[in-house]
Amino acid sequence: MKIFVGLISLISILLVTLAGPLYKFGLIDLATAFAGFKFGVFAGIAALVLLGIQLLFKRDTASIGSALTSAMLAITAIAIPLSMMNSAENVPPIHDISTDLVNPPEFVAIAPLRADAPNPVEYAGVETATQQRAAYPELQTLRYSQSKSELVGATKQAIDNLGWELVNVNADTGIIEATDTTLWFGFKDDIVIRITDNGSKRLVDIRSKSRVGGSDLGKNAARIHKLIEELDDVLGE
């Protein structure tokens, strides 16, 4: 029974952890990847139940090492999807975040790269803005005293520091575009930064949008925060 319990727990963790890479490299679609999550949880629960039965009725077939390993694998397989579900419940089901909700920065060079993406390049609209305003009220237009050219250079450096792919830089219009590819699933999320003059100040707006998925689990807001922090570090703010 020890081997059977170990096998089920191993299957559970593989169903969960391999879902991302298999989708990332185009071997399965997103629905299949999420199905792997679901069956991974079921397998993890089954492994824990079987482990409990083994420890109660066939303790002589179990060892401390095998029991702990099986339990750890099964619990991890259950915890990862549940953690993601918990994150989804604690953030609004949106995937388009901007510091300017009235006139969000528009994608230019990235627009054709999103032609086949499930989420269109256009801003998601008033309902999304309302939900963002309630969830992330701190995300607003930034104001800097540096020149536009200085901010363009600093933004390029910040993007490079974060490991994102720089797609477009237009110093004249103050538009910088980049793509961030997530490590596990390989999701591509796009970022556009707009720098405009406003008297003695420069206004900086940032927009981050997922190419796929209804809810971003808070990733786009977190990405904007990371960029702001990195930009301030580069500028010495």
Side-chain angles (χ1 to χ4, degrees), residues 3 37 62 70 75 85 88 111 121-122 152 159 176 180 212 228:
I3 295 175
F37 268 30
S70 295
I75 291 171
M85 290 175 60
V121 71
E122 293 79 17
V152 168
I159 288 171
I176 303 104
D180 179 21
V212 300
I228 293 171

Side-chain angles (χ1 to χ4, degrees), residues 148-158 234:
K148 181 185 286 188
S149 61
E150 287 177 306
L151 286 170
V152 168
T155 301
K156 288 171 58 181
Q157 184 61 56
V234 172

